[in-house]
Structure formats: structure tokens, C-alpha cells
Amino acid sequence: MVDSRETLPGAFVAGFPIRHSRSPIIHNYWLSQFNIRSHYEALEVSPDQLPQFIAELRKGQAWRGGNFTIPHKEEAYRLADRPDDLAKELGAANTLWLEDGLIHATNTDAHGFAANLDSELPGWDKVTSAVVLGAGGASRSVIQSLRNRGIKEIHVVNRTVDRARQLADRFGANIHAQPLPALSEVLKGAGLFVNTTSLGMDGSEAMAIDFSPLAEKALVTDIVYTPLKTSFLAQAEAQGFAIADGLGMLLHQAVPGFEKWFGHRPIVDQTLRQRVMDSMEHHG
Ligand code: ATR
């Protein structure tokens, strides 16, 4: 029997700019693994072009669906017909697909965060207290993930404490906003410490952090993956804590989209991780 999906068009990631997106490597790897005759490509779509692009997507002739990245996540959410609860809470969508002529949307970042830790630091969600450094867009998905996994106490520490407060208000009673000077106090006894800031990214000035107030077996992770071992992770490791890098979040957040578009749930394996790492060596 011929799989009718094979005759349908492929999927995409749309961003502006879109240079160096790793998503085509990930999805094309899975397409060939499942022997699916389709394709996934990176498209440069400007903010001006986005409404027209989504109108075309809705017609169902050009694409099965796709990913939306910076700066389109908020607008993609607004233009979708059926955003799910995850996307609604974040006010942003990164994955859209067609179903019954309507554009459905979700945000898979919280899943990517949790699935990466499930794989790298199993048992990570058994902690009672977690600390999240940063209160930008990326921090939201992390907070959503921690709260949805039932972590009782979540401290969001940010240079601009107002931004942390806005997130605390949005995500519920267990979330506490803290200014940067409160960091060592809230780290006391915490079992999980997550960096979501760009501090130390691409060689920028790193902040010296004393991890010692953390619980003895605390876990430390960073959602930044360039470089793979950020200054934050290197310091945590040197101080004796188990660490997980952020590349797995990128790989795992791609899983639900592939399944929606192509009907198979893919696996994040070591070969895929290596392919993406190789591409980073070439493009920085
Ligand atoms: P993203 O959407 O990737 O999370 P963002 O919205 O620009 O990016 O947020 C960046 C985060 O890094 C913020 O929490 C920011 O703190 P402010 O809200 O106070 O700006 C944090 N950050 C960036 N540079 C920083 C620095 N030099 N010191 C402390 N925090 C910094």
C-alpha cells in the first residue's frame, strides 16, 4: 500500500534570519531513518511576510506544518486557529500542523527541557526546590516544565527582578521572584539549578558562581548549548555537581513536531547528537 503522506509536501522551520538552524539536520536525519520520502527545510520568512505565509500554510497544499523560531513564536501563536494550553500559557508557539483544515499549534520547549533531563539526569524531577537563573523567553518554558512535573518550590532569579515577578504571576503560587543578590540564599538546599541566561554564551563575560549552597547531590543544567559546556556548567562540574548540557533540549523539542507531521515518533540517539555537534564545529 502506498502511504499517501509520502506524496504530500514536507515541513519547515521559518525564522528571520534563519542561518545555521540545526532543525533541518535533525528532521532530515529522522526522515531518512524512517525511510519517509519527504523533506524538511529552513525558510527565511520576514515578519512582514508571516501572515501571508500562514495563510498559505492553512491551504494545506504547500506544507504539512513546521517550526517557527525567532522572531516568529508569538505571532505564530496568534495566527494559529487552535493553539493548545501549553502555547496559550506561554503566548508563543514553535510547532504548527494542519488538522481538518485548521492550523493547530503547540510549544514543545517545555517537553524538550524535561525529556533531555529524563535522559541525562533521571530522577531530576524528584527535587522539592529548584532555582532558575534568568527571566527571558527561554526561562518561561523551563518554569512551565518544572511546574508541570510537580516541583513544589521554584525560585526565578533575575537581574531585573520585575521580569521575574511577571513570570511568577503568570505561572502560579509556587513560583518566587528573586533579585540577583538573593542567589546564594535561594540556592541553599535546592536540588536543581538551571541557567537560562546568555551569560558566558559564545565567550561573553562569565559570572563566577558559588554552587556550594546547593543540596549535596544537586543537578545543574544550562539551556544554552553554544558552547556545549558553558562557563556555568564548567564551574558546576568543577565544584562536584552532576551536569547536563542544553543540546538535548534542542533535539528533544523536535520530537513532537516530527510525529505530528510524519506519523512516527522519532528517537534522539547518539548519532543524531553527533551530527548536530559536527555542524556546530563548522558554523560556530
Ligand atoms: P531569551 O529569550 O533567550 O531568554 P532574553 O529575553 O534576552 O533572552 O533574556 C535574557 C536573560 O539573560 C534575562 O534574564 C537577562 O536578565 P534581564 O532580564 O535583567 O535583562 C539575562 N542576562 C543577560 N545578560 C545578563 C547580565 N550581564 N547579567 C545578568 N543577567 C543577564
Side-chain angles (χ1 to χ4, degrees), residues 36 42 59 84 97 108 136 192 203 207 251:
I36 297 171
K59 290 183 191 159
D84 72 1
W97 69 96
T108 64
L192 179 69
M207 183 164 92
L251 305 176

PDB file of all heavy atoms in Angstrom, residues 36 42 59 84 97 108 136 192 203 207 251:
ATOM      1  N   ILE A  36      11.127   7.831   4.983  1.00  0.00           N
ATOM      2  CA  ILE A  36       9.976   8.625   4.529  1.00  0.00           C
ATOM      3  C   ILE A  36      10.451   9.550   3.409  1.00  0.00           C
ATOM      4  O   ILE A  36      11.428  10.284   3.581  1.00  0.00           O
ATOM      5  CB  ILE A  36       9.394   9.471   5.685  1.00  0.00           C
ATOM      6  CG1 ILE A  36       8.866   8.562   6.799  1.00  0.00           C
ATOM      7  CG2 ILE A  36       8.289  10.391   5.168  1.00  0.00           C
ATOM      8  CD1 ILE A  36       8.478   9.307   8.072  1.00  0.00           C
ATOM      9  N   ALA A  42      14.794  24.881   5.846  1.00  0.00           N
ATOM     10  CA  ALA A  42      14.822  26.167   6.540  1.00  0.00           C
ATOM     11  C   ALA A  42      14.363  27.253   5.580  1.00  0.00           C
ATOM     12  O   ALA A  42      14.853  27.345   4.456  1.00  0.00           O
ATOM     13  CB  ALA A  42      16.232  26.457   7.031  1.00  0.00           C
ATOM     14  N   LYS A  59      -3.917  26.574   3.611  1.00  0.00           N
ATOM     15  CA  LYS A  59      -4.494  25.955   2.400  1.00  0.00           C
ATOM     16  C   LYS A  59      -4.116  24.488   2.288  1.00  0.00           C
ATOM     17  O   LYS A  59      -4.776  23.720   1.583  1.00  0.00           O
ATOM     18  CB  LYS A  59      -4.036  26.707   1.152  1.00  0.00           C
ATOM     19  CG  LYS A  59      -4.652  28.082   1.024  1.00  0.00           C
ATOM     20  CD  LYS A  59      -4.191  28.715  -0.287  1.00  0.00           C
ATOM     21  CE  LYS A  59      -4.557  30.192  -0.345  1.00  0.00           C
ATOM     22  NZ  LYS A  59      -3.736  30.918  -1.321  1.00  0.00           N
ATOM     23  N   ASP A  84      -2.779  24.970  21.663  1.00  0.00           N
ATOM     24  CA  ASP A  84      -3.095  24.164  22.846  1.00  0.00           C
ATOM     25  C   ASP A  84      -2.764  24.944  24.123  1.00  0.00           C
ATOM     26  O   ASP A  84      -2.308  26.092  24.059  1.00  0.00           O
ATOM     27  CB  ASP A  84      -2.393  22.793  22.786  1.00  0.00           C
ATOM     28  CG  ASP A  84      -0.883  22.879  23.009  1.00  0.00           C
ATOM     29  OD1 ASP A  84      -0.354  23.996  23.228  1.00  0.00           O
ATOM     30  OD2 ASP A  84      -0.235  21.818  22.967  1.00  0.00           O
ATOM     31  N   TRP A  97       0.806  22.553  12.901  1.00  0.00           N
ATOM     32  CA  TRP A  97       0.475  21.489  11.964  1.00  0.00           C
ATOM     33  C   TRP A  97      -0.981  21.625  11.540  1.00  0.00           C
ATOM     34  O   TRP A  97      -1.791  22.254  12.228  1.00  0.00           O
ATOM     35  CB  TRP A  97       0.738  20.110  12.578  1.00  0.00           C
ATOM     36  CG  TRP A  97      -0.185  19.722  13.695  1.00  0.00           C
ATOM     37  CD1 TRP A  97      -1.315  18.955  13.611  1.00  0.00           C
ATOM     38  CD2 TRP A  97      -0.070  20.102  15.088  1.00  0.00           C
ATOM     39  NE1 TRP A  97      -1.896  18.831  14.855  1.00  0.00           N
ATOM     40  CE2 TRP A  97      -1.154  19.509  15.765  1.00  0.00           C
ATOM     41  CE3 TRP A  97       0.845  20.880  15.814  1.00  0.00           C
ATOM     42  CZ2 TRP A  97      -1.355  19.683  17.151  1.00  0.00           C
ATOM     43  CZ3 TRP A  97       0.645  21.050  17.184  1.00  0.00           C
ATOM     44  CH2 TRP A  97      -0.436  20.448  17.831  1.00  0.00           C
ATOM     45  N   THR A 108       6.806  23.126  22.169  1.00  0.00           N
ATOM     46  CA  THR A 108       7.447  21.877  22.589  1.00  0.00           C
ATOM     47  C   THR A 108       8.704  22.115  23.423  1.00  0.00           C
ATOM     48  O   THR A 108       9.410  21.163  23.751  1.00  0.00           O
ATOM     49  CB  THR A 108       7.823  21.028  21.352  1.00  0.00           C
ATOM     50  OG1 THR A 108       8.811  21.738  20.585  1.00  0.00           O
ATOM     51  CG2 THR A 108       6.623  20.745  20.484  1.00  0.00           C
ATOM     52  N   GLY A 136      13.854  35.526  30.787  1.00  0.00           N
ATOM     53  CA  GLY A 136      13.527  35.861  29.398  1.00  0.00           C
ATOM     54  C   GLY A 136      12.563  34.835  28.809  1.00  0.00           C
ATOM     55  O   GLY A 136      11.940  34.051  29.529  1.00  0.00           O
ATOM     56  N   LEU A 192      18.035  21.404  42.137  1.00  0.00           N
ATOM     57  CA  LEU A 192      18.199  21.604  40.694  1.00  0.00           C
ATOM     58  C   LEU A 192      18.444  23.085  40.431  1.00  0.00           C
ATOM     59  O   LEU A 192      17.747  23.941  40.980  1.00  0.00           O
ATOM     60  CB  LEU A 192      16.930  21.141  39.964  1.00  0.00           C
ATOM     61  CG  LEU A 192      16.904  21.291  38.445  1.00  0.00           C
ATOM     62  CD1 LEU A 192      17.882  20.340  37.772  1.00  0.00           C
ATOM     63  CD2 LEU A 192      15.486  21.024  37.912  1.00  0.00           C
ATOM     64  N   GLY A 203      31.553  32.917  24.544  1.00  0.00           N
ATOM     65  CA  GLY A 203      32.741  33.565  25.085  1.00  0.00           C
ATOM     66  C   GLY A 203      32.509  34.898  25.780  1.00  0.00           C
ATOM     67  O   GLY A 203      33.469  35.562  26.160  1.00  0.00           O
ATOM     68  N   MET A 207      29.930  34.812  34.754  1.00  0.00           N
ATOM     69  CA  MET A 207      29.719  35.213  36.139  1.00  0.00           C
ATOM     70  C   MET A 207      30.253  34.088  37.031  1.00  0.00           C
ATOM     71  O   MET A 207      29.954  32.921  36.806  1.00  0.00           O
ATOM     72  CB  MET A 207      28.215  35.402  36.335  1.00  0.00           C
ATOM     73  CG  MET A 207      27.794  35.878  37.691  1.00  0.00           C
ATOM     74  SD  MET A 207      26.079  36.495  37.619  1.00  0.00           S
ATOM     75  CE  MET A 207      25.171  35.031  38.037  1.00  0.00           C
ATOM     76  N   LEU A 251      17.259  18.854  20.677  1.00  0.00           N
ATOM     77  CA  LEU A 251      16.948  17.608  19.967  1.00  0.00           C
ATOM     78  C   LEU A 251      15.560  17.088  20.375  1.00  0.00           C
ATOM     79  O   LEU A 251      14.752  16.712  19.524  1.00  0.00           O
ATOM     80  CB  LEU A 251      18.017  16.551  20.253  1.00  0.00           C
ATOM     81  CG  LEU A 251      19.473  16.971  19.948  1.00  0.00           C
ATOM     82  CD1 LEU A 251      20.443  15.871  20.358  1.00  0.00           C
ATOM     83  CD2 LEU A 251      19.645  17.306  18.470  1.00  0.00           C
TER      84      LEU A 251
END
